[in-house]
Amino acid sequence: MSRWHKKGLLVVTILLISFLAGCAYKSVDKRSFVVSVGVDPAENDDDRYKVTLKIAKPIASLRQATETEYTYLTTEAETVSEAIRILETHNDKVVDFSQAKILAIHHELLSGDLQLLMDYFTRRGDIQLIMYVAAAKPSAEEVLKVEPILEAAGENTLYNFFDDTGTESPFVTTSFLFEFRRDVLTFGKDAVLPIVRTSKNKDELVINTALVIKENHEPVDLNRTQTKLYNTFMEGANGYGYQAHNSGYIFTLTFDRAKMNYKLGIVPGQTPQADIKVKAVGAISQSNKTLSLNRLPEYSEVTNKELSKEMEKLFKKMQKEKVDPFGFGLRYRATRFHTDQIEEDWNEIYPDLVFNVQSDVKLKSLGAIK
Amino acid sequence: MPDSTPVFPPYMKSLQDALGSSSDVVQLPLAINKAEAQLLFVKTVVEGSIMQDTIIKPFYEIADTEKFAEYLNGMPNHLQIPDSEEVLKKLVQGFVLIYCNENYLLLEIRKLKNTVPLQTVLESTIHGPQSAFSEDLETNIGIIRQHYHQPDLFIETMELKDLSSRAVALAYDRKKVNTQVLRRLKEQLRQIDEPLIQSAGDLAIRLTPRKLNIFPVSLLTERPDRTIYNITGGKIIVIVDGSPFVIMAPVLFFDFMVSMEENYHTFFISLFNTILGWTGLMICLLLPSFYIAFASYSPEVLRTELTLSIAGSRIGVPYPTFIEVLIMLLFVELLTEASIRLPKSINATATTVGGLILGTASVEAAIASNILIITIAAVAIANFVIPINELSFAIRICRILLIAFTSLFGLIGLISGFLFIIIHLVNIDSYGQPYLRIPWRDKSSEKEVGSG
Amino acid sequence: MNRFLYYLVFLNMMAIITTPIPSLLLIGAHGGAIPTMVLGLFTGMLISFFFLKFFNKFPGRDYTELLKAYTSNYLRVPVTIYFAIVWYLAGTITLVMLTFLLITFLTPEMSIYLIAISILITVAFGVLLKSKSVLFAVEIIVFLVVPIAFFLFIKLYSSSELDWDQVRTSLMYSNSVPKYGVFTATLFSFSGIANLIVFNRYFTKRNTNHLGAVLIIGLFGVFTLVTTYFIPIGLNGFDQVDRLIFPWTSAADSVRMKYGIVERAVFLFMLFFVAISFMSITVHWHVSYKLIQSLIRIDKLQMRNNNWTPFLTVAVFVAVAIYLTVWLTQYQLYTYSAYYFNAIPIFIIVWAVTMFAVKRGHDNEPLA
């Protein structure tokens, strides 16, 4: 009867399993998907954080939907997790964070202790580490609530900004959650977050500046030019919008490729030096004068001077503010064997570091006219 | 003329009594001058015109008992008399018993039916040969012989022990065949104890000792080119009289995924076809389960837009996803079955009407989501890309197993179930040969893993 | 050498990603992990060499058979039991870790019983297969996952977010003193070859080119170790990398496929991890099961022509595994599996002793 025994065993197993099953069974229409999370300082003195969740409403037919369908939940609490727990009671469906793509943090929160703020997001396994992190001005709630006119149903404008499938502007810094965590925790490199601002009438989002963030340190603002330079040479962004004013020329340039290499020349007893080489290939897209093809090397030279100057200014500013978004400190650690006082050494070296910027821009074309 | 009436021989009389008074049993005395002979046959299975040409006419031309007997002995289709049990069987199979010159003789004048090669129906190709096997054993052996001119091609015939006493032939290349498999197959053929076997499909099932199979361990084909292709690969072909299909053994799982079309195209086209076939197999097997997994357990896997779109299209559907999937799958299975049963001229209409109306209406009535309809349609189409029909049936069953696994355990259940199927495939064997293994061209490594 | 042996070695090395090994390695990141891994690599290759050489002497015979033939029962029984436990635990560690991983990242709401059962159904079925079928199954799975693995590794190494300065910084710690825990964890990744104690039955051909084989195993090892160690550092940063509990999953979650069907590469990784660790658990348990089979066959469980001992063995395996999965906390898993890895040298010593015993028995045997 062994065959019958086997069959019996199978039936019993299946029955047992069927009783067990079903506890994790949550149909997709019984979940509400959080697409963005915003964290602000609390207005109420008893609490610490104000958390805003942007939740996508399921739409039966995306094609026929005329406007975007989002709903917002906001509450205040002592910690982020507590706020989210409260918000879960405001909703009849399971709050699902697995599709959350944007984490907007109020710019003032970025100066204090980041540990408590970030812990929840990196500890939860179901929150993706490739979430985009951004600093929000005037507040995360207002930034999330902007629904631009150009936004179609089912779309998330903020996401289109960061994700490279939409706009690819050299002004937009992107920072993934894992990158942000890594850079904040690393000695010798500081994180850079984009600043997302709302326009005056609150129907547009503007992203063209950035913020350098170091734990327990005031965030340092990068202006538009600096943001652009950082994005171009650290994140490999390129495109329109580089300007060169020099020797009477005013150029607007497009870069196709750009990269930066640097070497630290640090010998005890000598002034520490950083030799920075900046390379770019591009074209002129606008000029205030008539140009001639055979003078391209000259235009390149004009650009070089301008670029070197700008870069040096940026490095010096960072040095003065005691932040290091370019990772010079990490490079220092990466090029010599570890000792216990390596971090203090670097803290002493960095303020005296001299930057020698050498730029090598190769302009290849003048566009369609001379 | 009292002595010209032939004497009815007693042995023949006893045989005729044994056959009973069926209307088609004929006892025919022949006599001319001094010569005489007696014929006994069943007229419905004997080819009348051949008998006329090779027995009756010569008899009257020769008109001499002894010479006629010699003539008969010289014919290639004669048979010495076995015991009477056997003789009766031969008579109903189409032999003619002749009594002549005090001797009994059996001549095979079988009425041949269905000797015309059929059109390929199940495994049709665009560029390959268009004709399939016929329903006659000898014609089929002839087709194989004509396509494979090798002295090593060996044909063995035997008879099944069931009520139909069907003739069965084994064909294989003596140099290439795996003798272990051959021995095993013959043993199985001998051991069959089934009251009635009517076709190759029937026989193929009886040839395997395991009864609870999902996957077929031998391959049925109607294509001579596939048969020859496999003989050159060392396989054994079992041909059954009266069936347009032949059985091939041993088979690998991969043999089921080969469409003969692939041999008639350039490399990249056939590669493309192969990939298409495998994609079809995977879609057919996995897509419904993926839908359940994504819509109920792990929506985080998909992109946000798609997740929201699934969520949106499920608005108002009252059932959990697995019931939704099972309902729609049931409809599709019914449509597929219906289109097989219906005559060719109407089935296109039936499936189109059924499919279109059911799909749209069930979305309108919020029984199923849009995305599911797409999924099910893709599955239904992919089902037909699998080259061998037997496999596509097996896959349909496995699909249900996977749906069960996924409904219980989610995405992990799906992976687990998929591996379960793979392990099951690895575990079963086809006549002692592993069913699923990577068929390496170089067999040396295979032999390193001894048969243990 | 036989391709199946490479599969076993490859499987074991890839499967360490779903064991606590990566985080055990990374715990040593701020002191001596790199020199230890180099040391472990060479030791692993050396041991692999001896394993190969030993089993090559006895083609087609497995270890229990050799023990039976050349040593006494007093040696055979305890050693077989010890080995069975070692292999069982190896599989169980992977199982518990995989369950934790799935509950953290894929299905946080699902009950832990259910996850364990969903894995164990298939594994139990796989354990009961013939050893030869297990080998074929390993081959199929390896072939299914290699394209995924290849794609993912390319994706990881070419990721623009991978910060090579972090990797270089971690290299700058290679002047520290080796750590014992990292050493044994490294050794474990070479333990795939030890599966020969059962599978050698199917390797009937003698081979001479051990050095080539060991070199290939070494190359696998270098690739696996480099990937396991440096990728999480490059993506998640060197400082505080030891704080990650699932460094590999976190690393995989840091890769985005812009135009992929699935955007988050971590789910492709899951597919890969799960398939590989399923097979790894199956192989380990299968070895353990075969070792137990060589000792016990309970006649009371004979029903007609079926003996139920195998089913009972596997049922015990499954029951113990479920109990452990539910009972262990993450901390306990890490501590106990560290103990387990630290005991690997004992295993090697026991194995070496029995190897010499078998060899002596074999050499003293009068030639028939």
Side-chain angles (χ1 to χ4, degrees), chain C residues 165-187:
Chain C
D165 270 352
Q166 304 272 8
V167 175
R168 262 176 254 152
T169 308
S170 73
L171 277 172
M172 289 304 133
Y173 280 72
S174 50
N175 57 350
S176 318
V177 193
K179 263 195 165 174
Y180 182 70
V182 176
F183 177 70
T184 50
T186 317
L187 270 192

Side-chain angles (χ1 to χ4, degrees), chain C residues 27-339:
Chain C
I27 282 172
H30 292 272
I34 293 170
T36 323
M37 286 198 297
V38 174
L39 204 67
L41 176 74
F42 285 112
T43 320
M45 281 166 75
L46 198 71
I47 291 167
S48 302
F49 179 75
F50 282 118
F51 251 96
L52 274 178
K53 211 175 154 197
F54 174 73
F55 280 109
N56 207 35
K57 240 178 129 91
F58 306 100
R61 304 175 75 179
D62 63 25
Y63 197 56
T64 50
E65 199 184 326
L66 291 172
L67 284 178
K68 241 180 214 163
Y70 300 119
T71 62
S72 72
N73 271 352
Y74 296 110
L75 185 63
R76 182 176 73 94
V77 175
V79 166
T80 314
I81 293 175
Y82 172 64
F83 278 14
I85 293 173
V86 167
W87 255 270
Y88 176 71
L89 288 179
T92 312
I93 288 175
T94 315
L95 172 80
V96 178
M97 184 72 182
L98 182 66
T99 315
F100 283 176
L101 194 119
L102 292 175
I103 211 164
T104 317
F105 287 94
L106 198 63
T107 45
E109 308 99 353
M110 208 184 242
S111 116
I112 195 160
Y113 284 102
L114 210 61
I115 294 181
I117 286 172
S118 68
I119 299 168
L120 286 171
I121 288 179
T122 302
V123 168
F125 181 51
V127 169
L128 287 168
L129 294 185
K130 290 174 291 215
S131 303
K132 199 174 154 191
S133 302
V134 172
L135 286 179
F136 281 124
V138 168
E139 181 174 30
I140 299 278
I141 301 297
V142 165
F143 268 76
L144 281 179
V145 299
V146 157
I148 305 179
F150 198 68
F151 172 75
L152 289 173
F153 287 134
I154 287 180
K155 201 83 198 157
L156 276 173
Y157 277 107
S158 67
S159 161
S160 62
E161 280 85 27
L162 187 65
D163 191 340
W164 289 101
D165 270 352
Q166 304 272 8
V167 175
R168 262 176 254 152
T169 308
S170 73
L171 277 172
M172 289 304 133
Y173 280 72
S174 50
N175 57 350
S176 318
V177 193
K179 263 195 165 174
Y180 182 70
V182 176
F183 177 70
T184 50
T186 317
L187 270 192
F188 182 77
S189 54
F190 284 89
S191 67
I193 197 126
N195 290 322
L196 267 182
I197 67 168
V198 159
F199 292 106
N200 195 49
R201 175 184 285 270
Y202 299 98
F203 300 143
T204 46
K205 238 189 197 168
R206 267 172 199 264
N207 248 300
T208 42
N209 191 9
H210 304 313
L211 244 91
V214 168
L215 219 64
I216 293 176
I217 292 175
L219 281 178
F220 270 159
V222 170
F223 175 75
T224 319
L225 289 174
V226 164
T227 310
T228 335
Y229 186 76
F230 291 115
I231 291 285
I233 287 180
L235 284 168
N236 291 317
F238 176 68
D239 297 332
Q240 307 210 24
V241 73
D242 45 348
R243 276 185 54 201
L244 294 174
I245 291 168
F246 305 97
W248 250 90
T249 323
S250 298
D253 200 12
S254 311
V255 177
R256 171 169 171 259
M257 297 187 286
K258 207 200 299 185
Y259 297 112
I261 297 176
V262 174
E263 191 179 6
R264 294 168 68 184
V266 70
F267 295 111
L268 267 185
F269 269 95
M270 287 280 183
L271 210 71
F272 168 70
F273 292 157
V274 171
I276 283 281
S277 35
F278 258 85
M279 278 333 282
S280 171
I281 301 168
T282 310
V283 167
H284 282 138
W285 281 15
H286 182 78
V287 170
S288 177
Y289 154 78
K290 281 281 167 186
L291 290 173
I292 290 172
Q293 284 319 99
S294 78
L295 288 181
I296 326 170
R297 195 178 167 83
I298 304 167
D299 289 331
K300 271 190 186 164
L301 289 173
Q302 189 75 31
M303 296 209 183
R304 297 271 170 103
N305 39 15
N306 249 346
N307 192 300
W308 279 59
T309 328
F311 297 103
L312 183 76
T313 319
V314 173
V316 171
F317 277 16
V318 169
V320 173
I322 291 182
Y323 177 74
L324 285 178
T325 315
V326 176
W327 175 67
L328 281 175
T329 61
Q330 248 172 21
Y331 170 75
Q332 283 168 321
L333 172 67
Y334 276 80
T335 332
Y336 295 154
S337 48
Y339 290 155

Side-chain angles (χ1 to χ4, degrees), chain B residues 223-267:
Chain B
R223 298 190 62 87
D225 54 350
R226 189 188 284 275
T227 313
I228 304 302
Y229 179 80
N230 282 294
I231 287 180
T232 57
K235 295 206 163 89
I236 303 160
I237 310 294
V238 182
I239 313 158
V240 183
D241 192 24
S243 168
F245 293 96
V246 299
I247 304 167
M248 295 191 294
V251 285
L252 282 179
F253 180 78
F254 294 96
D255 290 332
F256 289 92
M257 288 306 294
V258 177
S259 152
M260 286 317 286
E261 189 79 51
E262 284 160 25
N263 293 354
Y264 306 119
H265 282 296
T266 57
F267 174 76

Side-chain angles (χ1 to χ4, degrees), chain B residues 113-118 132-135 139:
Chain B
K113 273 185 190 160
N114 309 326
T115 55
V116 191
L118 306 166
F133 281 115
S134 73
E135 291 198 349
T139 316

Side-chain angles (χ1 to χ4, degrees), chain A residues 113-284:
Chain A
D113 180 18
L114 291 171
Q115 182 73 34
L116 183 68
L117 175 65
M118 300 310 297
D119 187 82
Y120 182 75
F121 298 102
T122 44
R123 195 177 292 279
R124 258 186 91 135
D126 59 336
I127 290 185
Q128 35 187 308
L129 284 174
I130 50 173
M131 192 182 202
Y132 295 101
V133 187
K137 262 181 187 174
S139 80
E141 189 183 355
E142 274 171 84
V143 163
L144 291 189
K145 282 190 175 167
V146 171
E147 287 183 8
I149 307 155
L150 277 175
E151 189 176 58
E155 248 183 0
N156 189 343
T157 304
L158 258 183
Y159 184 56
N160 280 352
F161 265 113
F162 294 129
D163 159 10
D164 285 343
T165 53
T167 176
E168 284 185 59
S169 159
F171 291 101
V172 179
T173 314
T174 55
S175 177
F176 291 113
L177 181 60
F178 78 91
E179 234 180 328
F180 180 59
R181 174 184 181 275
R182 176 183 77 194
D183 292 345
V184 164
L185 291 178
T186 302
F187 176 85
K189 192 171 186 201
D190 297 321
V192 178
L193 289 186
I195 301 176
V196 184
R197 270 178 311 192
T198 54
S199 64
K200 272 194 191 114
N201 41 2
K202 308 249 150 121
D203 60 356
E204 265 171 35
L205 290 171
V206 182
I207 306 175
N208 51 22
T209 51
L211 213 56
V212 182
I213 291 157
K214 187 176 182 178
E215 215 176 358
N216 300 321
H217 189 283
E218 273 303 304
V220 179
D221 271 302
L222 295 182
N223 63 26
R224 280 172 55 183
T225 320
Q226 289 160 343
T227 308
K228 184 186 67 194
L229 287 174
Y230 172 82
N231 288 341
T232 310
F233 294 108
M234 284 302 282
E235 311 249 300
N238 41 49
Y240 292 95
Y242 301 91
Q243 294 230 329
H245 301 252
N246 203 336
S247 339
Y249 290 108
I250 302 174
F251 291 149
T252 307
L253 306 167
T254 319
F255 286 164
D256 297 329
R257 298 191 292 273
K259 67 174 183 192
M260 178 178 79
N261 289 319
Y262 56 83
K263 244 186 214 154
L264 296 179
I266 294 167
V267 186
Q270 289 178 20
T271 352
Q273 311 236 332
D275 296 318
I276 297 147
K277 270 190 192 144
V278 171
K279 266 189 188 172
V281 179
I284 296 175

